Amino acid sequence: MATLTPMMQQYVDTKEKYKDALLFFRLGDFYEMFFEDAKTASRELEIALTSRDCGLDEKAPMCGVPHHVAETYITRLVDRGYKVAVCEQVEDPALAKGLVKREVVRIVTPGTIMDGSLLDEKSNNFLASIFLDEYGAGLSYVDNSTGEMYTTEFIGEEENSSRFILDELGKIMPSEVVCNEGLIRNKKLVTVIMDKINPYINALDDLSNDVENYNELISGFFNDKNIEIERLKEKIYSTISLGKLLNYLKDTQFNAVDHIKELQYYEPEHYMLMDINTRSNLEIHETMRSKEKRGALIGILDKTQTAMGGRLLRKWLEQPLLDKKQIENRLDMVEFIKNNPFHLEEIRDILKNIYDIERLISKISNGNCSGRDMVALRQSIENIPGLKGVLLETNLSQFVKLQEDMDDLIDIHTILNDSLGDNPPLSVKEGGIIKEGYNEYLDDLRASKLKGKEWLARLEAEERNRSGIKTLKVGFNRVMGYYIDIRKSSIDSVPENYIRKQTLANSERYYTTELKEIEDKILGADDKAIQLEYELFQEIREIIKKEIERLQRTSKLLAVLDVVLSLAIVANANNFTRPSLNRKGIIDIEEGRHPVVEATIKHQLFVPNDAYMDTRDDMVHIITGPNMAGKSTFMRQIAIIVLLAQIGSFVPSKRADIGIVDRIFTRIGASDNLSQGESTFMVEMNEVSNILRFATPRSLIILDEVGRGTSTYDGLSIAWAVVEYISDKIKAKTLFATHYHELTQLQTKLKGVKNFTITAEEQGDDIIFLRKIVKGSTNQSFGIQVAKLAGIRKEVIQRANEVLATIENSHDINMDEPVQKKNQKQMNLMDYRKDFYIDRVRNIDINGLTPMDALNTLNNLVDDARKLKE
Ligand code: ADP
Ligand code: MG
C-alpha cells in the first residue's frame, strides 16, 4: 500500500495541529501549500496550482510562494479573513541528518497582524476576547501592533450584557473576536455582530473558566507591575475574558508579546455612551452610504501629524468625557495652541518628523525590525528635546506638565546615534547598518576589505604592465568571485601563471594564486563583517527592547499633543468656538452649524441655527417641515456639537453652552436593515425599545422620522406614545423630526414639548428652502415641489397637483382622529413592553440563582412591573 513520503507525513502531522489555518510549509526557498490549502491559496492569490508526488497514487495539489515575498501573500490572505500558520525549517538543512526539522513559528490572524501595508496607520487593529454568560460579560482587547490592551466588564442580565458587548465592539470595531460558547449560543447577538462589525470569530470551549488560574496567568504576564491587576481580582468577567485573550495570544504569537506592557481597566459608563447605530448615524468614522472617511466627521477633524495622534483622535471620539474638569483641561490646551500660531507652527513642524513610534517599537520588540526601522525610531526621538523646549516656553500649566512627563529619551538616542548609519538597507543580513567607529573589530574588517580593494587596483596595474594587455581588467561577480578578464583578441599574450576560470563569448576569465589570496582576504573580511554587524544589530535591539515602556509612555504623550494640535488647526480652519459646559442639563447653541454639511456645500452658504433645550420646558422638540428642508441636518448638528464639546474640541457655532450628556441616541426611521433578517419596522422598534430602556434625564435623543416603517396610524400612535413616555418618564432632551403633523398637538398637551419647523417658501410651483428653524409647525410637505426639483416629468407633476387638490377637498384631514385612537394604539406599545417583561421572567434560571441574586432579580422585576403599569 502506498504511504506518504516522510516529508509529506511531516506536513500532514503539522497541518493536523493547525486545521483552521492555511499552512505555509517552508521547503528551501519557498513556502508551499498542499491539498485543500493549495486550492484555496491558488484561488485567492491567483498563483498557479501544480502538484507534487506525495507517495500516494495521486499527486498532491500544491502551490507556493518565494520566501522573500511571502509577507505580502500572507497579509493578503489574512485580509481576506484567513488565518495563516507559518512553518519554518528550524535546523540548518545542510547539517540535518535525514528529514529537516520543521515547526510552526507564528500564526498570523486578522487581529494579530503586526505590520504590513494592510494596517491603516491611523486606526487601531483590535483583537477582542468576549466572555458571556447569563449573569454578565467580560471584554478584553489588544492591538498587537501597538501593544495596548484594555479590559472591561458588565454585570447584569443577558439582554443588557448583549447591549454592553455591542456598544463596546461598535467602539473598537475589532477585526477578530475570540469568544466562548455562551456568546455563540446567543444567535441574535452573533448575527448583529456579523452584520455590523464582521470580525473573524474564533469560538473557544467553555472548559477553562478557572478564575484563579487566569489571575495567575495575568499576574505572570504583566510581572505584577501593573496596578490594574489588583483591581482586576474583583472583576471576574474581565479576568476570564483577559485570560482567554492572553492564552490565544500565546498560542498564535509564540511568546512574541513583550511589547504588551500595559493593561487598562475601564468602566464604559465613565464615558459618554453611544451605541453602534448612533455612531454610524452621526457619520463619525465613515459615511453611511459610501462607507468612506471623506464626508465623515473624522475627515474634517483629523489634521494629526503622526499615526499615534491619528489613532488617539479616534479614541477620543469613541469615548467622549463626562467630567467637566477633564474636558476643560483639553479645551484649555486647544485654545492655547489655536491662539498662538507661532507655537502651533513650531509644534506641527516637529511632529511632522515623528514616525509611528508605537508600531516601530512593537516590531523591534518582536525581532522583525530592519535597520531602517531603528533609524526611523532614532529620527523620531531626535525631535523630543526640541519639542519639550517649545512646550516649556508656552508656560501653559498643562503643557509644562506634559513636557515634564515626557521622557527626552536622550540615552536611547545616543545609543542609536553612536551605532547606526544613516542609510541601512532593508535586509539586516547584508551589513551596511553599523556606523564607523562603533566597533573596533568591525572597523578593522572593513579596513582590510578596503585595503584588499587597493591591492586589487595595484594588481590590475601591475598585470597590465607585465602582460602588455591594455584592456586587462580585474572584475568580480557573486558566482565566480574575482577574476582577470582578457579580451579574446589579446588571448595570445596571457602570461604563463594565469589559470582559466570561465569562457565567455568575447573574453576569457582567469585567476592567479595572488588574486586568490587577495580574494580570500576580502571575502573573508566581508563575511565576518556582515556577521558581526548582524550580531551588533541584535545587541542594540535587545538594549532598546528594555526601554519599551519608556518609549510607549512618550509616544502616548506625543499623541495627546498631536490631537490637541489637530483640534486647534481644525478650530482655526473652520471657525469653531470654545464651548462652555454646564451641569444643569441645558444645551444652548447660538448659530450652530453642521461641520460636515457646511464643508461639503462650499459653494452655497450654510444657514446657521440656534437651539435651546433643557429638561423642563424645552425638553422635546417636535420638528416638522418639508422634505429636504434640513431637519436631519439640524438634529445631527446638535448631537455633533455636543459630542465635539465632550471630547474637548471647539464647536461649529457662534456660542455654545453644553450640558454634559451621558448618552446620545439617534434613530432613523425606515433605515433598511433587511440583511439582518428582520423587517425594517422590527429593527426600528428594537432601537426605540432600547432608548426607552436606557435613556436617562441626562441623555440626548434624536429620533428622525421614527414610525415610518408601518401604516400611518400605527406609526403615528407609536410615535405619540413614545413622546409621551419620554416627556413624562424619562425626561431626556429629545429632537423628533416627523412627518406626522398630528404630533404637533402634543405641545399643548404635554409639558416640555415644543414645536419647531424649518422654513421653506413656495413660489408658484417651486420651493425655496430658507433652512431657518423657527417656533411653530407646518403640515406642508412640498413633496410635489421636491419631486419637481428632482426632475420628474412635467406631466406627472401636473397630474400629482390635480390629484392632491381633489384629495384635499374631499378629505378634510381630521386632526383629532388619531387622538381618539390614541388609547387603543398606546396599548400596542404597552404590549411590546409587556412582551419584553414576560420574556425576562421566563428566562430566569431559578436553579442558578443564589439567594442574594434571587432577591435582587425579584426587586428589579417588581420595579419594572410598576414602571410598566404607570
Ligand atoms: P430633511 O431631513 O429635512 O429632509 P436634510 O437635513 O436631509 O433634510 O437636508 C437636505 C439637504 O439640505 C442637505 O443635504 C444639505 O445639503 C442641505 N441643508 C440642510 N441644512 C442646511 C443648512 N442649514 N444650510 C444649508 N444647507 C442645508
Ligand atoms: Mg431627514
Side-chain angles (χ1 to χ4, degrees):
M1 205 184 85
T3 50
L4 287 169
T5 60
M7 200 225 34
M8 282 313 281
Q9 189 58 49
Q10 187 185 36
Y11 172 84
V12 169
D13 292 344
T14 316
K15 175 70 195 175
E16 185 65 20
K17 283 189 245 161
Y18 299 96
K19 281 199 185 108
D20 59 342
L22 296 173
L23 183 63
F24 270 49
F25 195 69
R26 182 72 179 260
L27 286 182
D29 283 340
F30 277 76
Y31 290 106
E32 304 287 5
M33 284 149 277
F34 299 104
F35 304 111
E36 278 312 304
D37 281 8
K39 291 183 190 163
T40 310
S42 82
R43 192 180 59 236
E44 295 285 355
L45 299 173
E46 292 173 19
I47 50 178
L49 185 67
T50 57
S51 60
R52 181 188 177 107
D53 266 326
C54 61
L56 303 182
D57 296 341
E58 237 171 88
K59 285 184 165 186
M62 172 176 96
C63 73
V65 298
H67 77 99
H68 61 276
V69 291
E71 217 48 48
T72 339
Y73 288 111
I74 293 174
T75 326
R76 212 186 292 168
L77 286 170
V78 172
D79 191 46
R80 303 258 165 96
Y82 295 95
K83 269 189 196 182
V84 175
V86 182
C87 179
E88 293 288 358
Q89 297 171 166
V90 290
E91 60 183 344
D92 189 342
L95 306 176
K97 294 196 186 77
L99 193 58
V100 183
K101 221 170 126 197
R102 290 184 175 86
E103 267 168 27
V104 169
V105 294
R106 68 191 168 114
I107 299 176
V108 191
T109 74
T112 56
I113 306 175
M114 294 269 340
D115 80 305
S117 47
L118 280 174
L119 284 182
D120 175 0
E121 64 160 0
K122 286 190 166 182
S123 298
N124 278 108
N125 181 41
F126 284 120
L127 161 68
S129 159
I130 304 170
F131 178 76
L132 169 72
D133 69 14
E134 54 271 56
Y135 307 112
L139 169 71
S140 301
Y141 49 97
V142 64
D143 183 337
N144 193 37
S145 69
T146 63
E148 57 205 300
M149 189 176 252
Y150 306 87
T151 181
T152 178
E153 70 173 27
F154 177 86
I155 309 291
E157 50 189 293
E158 187 154 337
E159 193 163 345
N160 294 354
S161 298
S162 302
R163 188 110 291 268
F164 153 81
I165 290 172
L166 257 189
D167 287 356
E168 290 307 300
L169 291 187
K171 202 147 87 179
I172 63 172
M173 297 303 275
S175 57
E176 182 175 0
V177 166
V178 176
C179 65
N180 69 327
E181 294 284 346
L183 182 100
I184 299 296
R185 274 194 295 272
N186 192 329
K187 292 254 156 41
K188 198 172 154 196
L189 179 57
V190 174
T191 317
V192 183
I193 291 176
M194 289 317 291
D195 183 56
K196 308 240 154 151
I197 300 165
N198 194 23
Y200 182 101
I201 293 192
N202 306 272
L204 306 179
D205 56 40
D206 273 344
L207 294 178
S208 53
N209 294 333
D210 184 345
V211 182
E212 290 286 310
N213 264 345
Y214 283 139
N215 269 329
E216 249 169 63
L217 175 72
I218 295 165
S219 306
F221 189 93
F222 292 102
N223 290 328
D224 267 326
K225 264 185 302 188
N226 205 298
I227 29 157
E228 301 287 349
I229 289 169
E230 270 316 301
R231 250 170 105 198
L232 258 191
K233 297 211 166 118
E234 321 266 292
K235 310 281 180 192
I236 293 176
Y237 284 90
S238 257
T239 302
I240 297 178
S241 67
L242 182 59
K244 285 181 189 290
L245 181 63
L246 294 182
N247 276 335
Y248 183 77
L249 272 180
K250 287 191 167 172
D251 287 348
T252 55
Q253 305 302 296
F254 296 85
N255 295 324
V257 287
D258 289 340
H259 60 300
I260 302 171
K261 295 283 188 202
E262 216 189 280
L263 172 69
Q264 207 180 318
Y265 178 86
Y266 69 94
E267 309 272 358
E269 61 271 18
H270 288 173
Y271 300 98
M272 180 209 280
L273 295 176
M274 282 181 286
D275 54 38
I276 192 163
N277 295 309
T278 302
R279 287 173 205 283
S280 71
N281 287 339
L282 293 180
E283 308 197 303
I284 297 175
H285 295 299
E286 56 184 27
T287 56
M288 289 181 75
R289 241 181 246 159
S290 59
K291 306 277 168 220
E292 274 173 26
K293 206 166 93 179
R294 243 189 69 221
L297 187 59
I298 192 77
I300 302 266
L301 286 190
D302 189 359
K303 295 282 177 279
T304 54
Q305 315 295 312
T306 70
M308 288 95 73
R311 293 192 293 267
L312 186 67
L313 174 63
R314 279 155 185 79
K315 264 179 224 146
W316 282 20
L317 273 169
E318 281 146 15
Q319 303 195 317
L321 302 175
L322 300 179
D323 185 90
K324 192 163 174 269
K325 271 235 176 68
Q326 282 180 7
I327 299 172
E328 273 163 355
N329 191 44
R330 288 182 184 175
L331 284 169
D332 287 345
M333 293 192 277
V334 176
E335 179 165 40
F336 182 89
I337 299 198
K338 179 180 173 327
N339 294 338
N340 287 279
F342 184 67
H343 285 129
L344 187 151
E345 292 290 323
E346 271 184 318
I347 296 173
R348 178 169 55 189
D349 288 346
I350 296 176
L351 288 177
K352 256 186 206 156
N353 298 322
I354 295 181
Y355 294 91
D356 193 343
I357 299 182
E358 278 177 337
R359 284 187 175 154
L360 284 174
I361 49 190
S362 298
K363 280 168 91 179
I364 290 171
S365 163
N366 288 333
N368 52 11
C369 68
S370 68
R372 288 185 191 173
D373 292 329
M374 293 271 223
V375 170
L377 178 66
R378 179 182 75 201
Q379 288 170 349
S380 301
I381 59 184
E382 211 156 70
N383 295 289
I384 293 175
L387 189 60
K388 287 185 62 156
V390 176
L391 290 176
L392 191 62
E393 257 172 47
T394 63
N395 265 328
L396 185 79
S397 63
Q398 285 95 330
F399 286 142
V400 172
K401 169 91 174 49
L402 200 130
Q403 72 85 30
E404 273 165 15
D405 294 345
M406 194 181 282
D407 193 329
D408 57 20
L409 304 170
I410 287 191
D411 52 328
I412 299 180
H413 181 262
T414 307
I415 293 167
L416 292 173
N417 200 41
D418 289 349
S419 58
L420 299 181
D422 285 335
N423 292 308
L426 206 54
S427 157
V428 292
K429 293 188 174 161
E430 283 173 14
I433 301 175
I434 304 292
K435 222 183 211 172
E436 201 70 50
Y438 178 68
N439 180 290
E440 234 176 281
Y441 185 42
L442 181 63
D443 290 349
D444 282 353
L445 288 171
R446 282 178 176 161
S448 36
K449 193 175 146 191
L450 261 186
K451 217 176 274 155
K453 295 248 158 85
E454 275 168 34
W455 291 336
L456 284 175
R458 191 157 13 106
L459 183 89
E460 189 178 73
E462 280 171 10
E463 292 300 309
R464 269 188 203 159
N465 262 337
R466 194 158 72 92
S467 63
I469 305 173
K470 292 238 160 53
T471 53
L472 179 151
K473 249 192 269 163
V474 174
F476 173 80
N477 74 36
R478 270 182 196 280
V479 186
M480 288 282 137
Y482 288 94
Y483 52 78
I484 300 170
D485 186 276
I486 310 279
R487 293 245 179 109
K488 285 256 158 83
S489 51
S490 316
I491 236 161
D492 296 339
S493 327
V494 166
E496 288 279 290
N497 65 329
Y498 279 27
I499 307 165
R500 183 169 315 160
K501 209 171 187 178
Q502 192 186 12
T503 305
L504 299 181
N506 300 317
S507 61
E508 291 283 338
R509 288 176 174 177
Y510 302 87
Y511 68 96
T512 63
T513 36
E514 197 189 352
L515 180 64
K516 185 90 186 99
E517 269 164 32
I518 301 175
E519 176 181 87
D520 286 349
K521 273 191 191 140
I522 294 177
L523 294 184
D526 207 26
D527 281 351
K528 275 188 207 144
I530 286 174
Q531 181 57 29
L532 179 59
E533 280 207 53
Y534 183 63
E535 280 160 23
L536 291 171
F537 181 69
Q538 305 284 12
E539 241 174 65
I540 300 162
R541 225 194 58 206
E542 286 305 313
I543 298 173
I544 303 298
K545 199 170 155 179
K546 293 205 183 73
E547 310 297 338
I548 285 179
E549 276 165 288
R550 286 170 64 202
L551 286 155
Q552 283 177 340
R553 238 177 292 132
T554 296
S555 39
K556 277 211 181 99
L557 296 171
L558 290 170
V560 171
L561 184 62
D562 195 10
V563 175
V564 165
L565 183 91
S566 176
L567 293 178
I569 293 172
V570 170
N572 269 332
N574 300 286
N575 198 17
F576 286 7
T577 53
R578 178 173 177 149
S580 59
L581 300 155
N582 70 72
R583 296 196 181 92
K584 290 179 286 193
I586 293 171
I587 292 179
D588 183 6
I589 298 169
E590 190 184 337
E591 299 196 0
R593 286 142 25 224
H594 190 299
V596 181
V597 176
E598 179 177 37
T600 39
I601 60 165
K602 262 179 201 129
H603 52 290
Q604 302 156 21
L605 222 47
F606 189 90
V607 180
N609 272 306
D610 299 347
Y612 181 88
M613 309 181 78
D614 60 22
T615 42
R616 300 163 50 125
D617 298 335
D618 296 279
M619 190 164 60
V620 179
H621 292 194
I622 305 284
I623 304 171
T624 48
N627 255 324
M628 289 293 290
K631 302 182 293 298
S632 302
T633 308
F634 174 68
M635 297 194 299
R636 285 195 175 108
Q637 99 192 11
I638 294 174
I640 287 174
I641 287 173
V642 170
L643 173 72
L644 286 176
Q646 287 186 233
I647 68 166
S649 167
F650 280 31
V651 299
S653 71
K654 190 168 165 203
R655 182 185 61 79
D657 187 25
I658 303 298
I660 295 170
V661 314
D662 63 351
R663 288 171 182 247
I664 298 178
F665 293 95
T666 63
R667 291 298 172 264
I668 297 185
S671 68
D672 211 359
N673 228 334
L674 287 174
S675 59
Q676 231 171 286
E678 293 179 359
S679 82
T680 309
F681 183 62
M682 182 65 189
V683 172
E684 209 178 302
M685 287 303 108
N686 252 330
E687 297 183 349
V688 170
S689 140
N690 276 320
I691 296 183
L692 299 182
R693 288 160 67 99
F694 297 108
T696 77
R698 294 180 62 203
S699 305
L700 175 64
I701 303 176
I702 286 170
L703 300 169
D704 199 347
E705 315 251 8
V706 164
R708 257 222 155 135
T710 181
S711 78
T712 311
Y713 284 137
D714 268 6
L716 170 55
S717 311
I718 290 169
W720 187 290
V722 166
V723 173
E724 274 186 351
Y725 189 80
I726 291 175
S727 79
D728 285 353
K729 297 289 182 319
I730 302 179
K731 301 201 177 302
K733 288 180 284 295
T734 302
L735 295 153
F736 195 155
T738 183
H739 54 290
Y740 296 126
H741 185 254
E742 293 83 347
L743 282 186
T744 57
Q745 295 170 46
L746 285 168
Q747 176 171 261
T748 53
K749 296 180 196 292
L750 295 172
K751 188 170 147 46
V753 176
K754 289 271 161 74
N755 291 335
F756 290 87
T757 180
I758 301 195
T759 47
E761 259 173 24
E762 213 171 351
Q763 283 196 348
D765 255 2
D766 288 316
I767 180 170
I768 296 173
F769 294 114
L770 302 176
R771 312 220 181 273
K772 260 294 171 206
I773 187 144
V774 294
K775 287 218 163 110
S777 65
T778 178
N779 59 355
Q780 284 178 291
S781 55
F782 296 106
I784 296 178
Q785 284 88 337
V786 174
K788 188 182 163 204
L789 268 185
I792 289 190
R793 283 171 164 281
K794 236 197 217 131
E795 54 265 46
V796 178
I797 301 287
Q798 235 161 31
R799 178 64 190 139
N801 271 321
E802 286 167 22
V803 175
L804 179 68
T806 350
I807 295 178
E808 276 177 349
N809 286 337
S810 67
H811 232 275
D812 236 334
I813 290 170
N814 185 348
M815 302 285 266
D816 274 340
E817 190 191 24
V819 187
Q820 286 152 11
K821 287 197 170 188
K822 189 187 104 188
N823 286 338
Q824 180 213 332
K825 294 296 171 181
Q826 205 182 354
M827 276 313 292
N828 282 350
L829 187 70
M830 283 287 282
D831 286 344
Y832 276 114
R833 284 171 20 217
K834 266 193 198 144
D835 277 347
F836 279 121
Y837 187 78
I838 290 167
D839 268 345
R840 277 180 55 205
V841 177
R842 206 187 282 146
N843 289 336
I844 296 175
D845 170 18
I846 295 185
N847 294 329
L849 291 181
T850 65
M852 194 59 203
D853 288 340
L855 264 182
N856 282 334
T857 313
L858 189 59
N859 194 31
N860 288 339
L861 286 172
V862 170
D863 264 5
D864 287 357
R866 287 197 179 126
K867 276 187 211 147
L868 197 66
K869 198 64 202 165
E870 274 168 25

